[in-house]
Amino acid sequence: MADKRRKLGFETRAIHAGQRPDPTTGAIMTPLYLSSTFAQSEPGKHQGFDYSRSGNPTRLAFETCVADLEGARYGYAMASGCVGATTIVHLLSAGDHVVACDDMYGGTFRLFDKVFARQGIQFSYLDLTDPGALESALQPSTKLLWLETPTNPLLKIMDIAALSDVAHAQGVHVVVDNTFMSPYFQQPLALGADMVLHSTTKYINGHSDLIGGVVITDDDELAEQLGFLANALGGVQSTFDSYLCLRSLKTLAVRMRAHEANALQIARFLEAHPRVDRVVYPGLPSHPQHDLAARQMSGFGGMLAVYLKGDLETARRVLSRVELFTLAESLGGVESLIEHPAIMTHASVDPAQRRAIGIDDTLLRISVGIESVDDLIDDLDRALVAR
Ligand SMILES: *Cc1c(COP(=O)(O)O)cnc(C)c1O
């Protein structure tokens, strides 16, 4: 061993962090501790757990492991990504102001715009692909900067380090929704962010069989407040879903590499296809922010967007002809999904705003799975050339 202090590799930590053989039985895998409450030997004296809303050994193993992968000490597993966002915004009080990117996950926007805005939290939404835009949007009451990068569905990239510098100069905390990249390809805390949010529904669980979220920080003070809120609000992840997420983390690295390899091949195939107008994938040199993506991320992920030549009917035809790609919302699972943002995931966005962002009738979003890439390409090619 050249250097004993060398940090263990991502793959090693994904399999071992926060876990050791069960002390009572030696079981290699962290058991499902399906207990709501825990025995105390004297009032207030227990073995670290008293009630499963405040803490559960299975959930803690997952939280410790996923936090470690983001380079942090604290994780709070939630019943969904939306509950994670809800818990974070509860750090604020009425009158506080949040600056958010204008192109974020629709459910997060709905939560801000339709729930928290009614409770007196103020929000400004802006295009933060230019870090210079942030300075003038900050107010004395600004407490939080909310970033999501790359964005959904058009994969715009925001400079986490530059934006965090501007925010921190004004004492503003930075949240990054890292759902699209997972900690394998992007680690926002190392770039300056204070909190990371994941919808574990997507890549972290990766098998499209649960809804979950996690909030991660390495800041002691934020951790104390988030831990309090997780328990007080009570939107914690179930033990069973924590078990599934913990199991999925073990293969996160190999899955992400496979998603990316397939996505890059499919992006190149589509970019050269005569029925395709334009492909948006951060790993293509044609992506307007390819250099920033390459600097900020260690890979480009499994999501891509494609503009077809034609019109809405062309898009409908392609979507009805694919066989391996399932027409469905969501993303990040081992199986490939395809969808039509204007009709499906982004239907609630005002049509004018949709056009302004670039979501038109010929746009398809693809979540590239880890099937044999030749089969995926054949499937897309058949659907594209069919009349
Ligand atoms: C899905 C998603 C969410 C919301 O997560 P849920 O688990 O569905 O509540 C938040 N952010 C992004 C980027 C997502 O893709």
Side-chain angles (χ1 to χ4, degrees), residues 13 322 366 374:
R13 290 179 289 129
V322 284
I366 299 178
D374 292 343

Side-chain angles (χ1 to χ4, degrees), residues 205-250:
N205 183 57
H207 294 74
S208 306
D209 52 8
L210 64 78
I211 299 287
V214 66
V215 179
I216 295 160
T217 187
D218 199 45
D219 180 299
D220 292 329
E221 218 169 292
L222 284 172
E224 194 179 325
Q225 294 174 46
L226 289 167
F228 166 79
L229 288 169
N231 184 46
L233 294 167
V236 298
Q237 185 163 61
S238 78
T239 308
F240 188 68
D241 288 350
S242 300
Y243 171 87
L244 289 175
C245 282
L246 181 65
R247 183 186 215 254
S248 293
L249 274 186
K250 295 176 192 296

Side-chain angles (χ1 to χ4, degrees), residues 80-82 105 108 148 177 179-180 199 201-202 211-212 331:
S80 70
C82 284
Y105 177 70
T108 308
E148 186 180 315
D177 183 332
T179 298
F180 267 42
S199 167
T201 311
K202 317 294 166 50
I211 299 287
L331 59 107

Side-chain angles (χ1 to χ4, degrees), residues 13 15 33 76 89 119 125 138 167 190 285 328 338 346 355 362 383:
R13 290 179 289 129
I15 292 168
Y33 285 97
Y76 302 93
V89 178
Q119 299 177 7
Y125 304 98
L138 295 176
I338 192 165
H346 292 66
R355 271 190 299 278
T362 68

Side-chain angles (χ1 to χ4, degrees), residues 299-377:
F300 302 106
M303 297 299 297
L304 56 90
V306 51
Y307 290 94
L308 304 176
K309 285 181 183 157
D311 54 21
L312 179 60
E313 273 322 299
T314 321
R316 283 190 191 279
R317 200 168 57 231
V318 170
L319 291 171
S320 66
R321 296 268 159 83
V322 284
E323 287 172 11
L324 275 178
F325 286 81
T326 304
L327 178 59
E329 299 191 6
S330 199
L331 59 107
V334 291
E335 66 292 311
S336 293
L337 303 179
I338 192 165
E339 65 112 4
H340 192 272
I343 299 178
M344 296 168 65
T345 45
H346 292 66
S348 64
V349 181
D350 168 66
Q353 166 76 359
R354 221 158 48 209
R355 271 190 299 278
I357 309 176
I359 301 176
D360 72 22
D361 286 345
T362 68
L363 178 70
L364 305 181
R365 185 188 79 178
I366 299 178
S367 172
V368 179
I370 62 172
E371 300 95 333
S372 308
V373 71
D374 292 343
D375 296 336
L376 297 176
I377 288 177

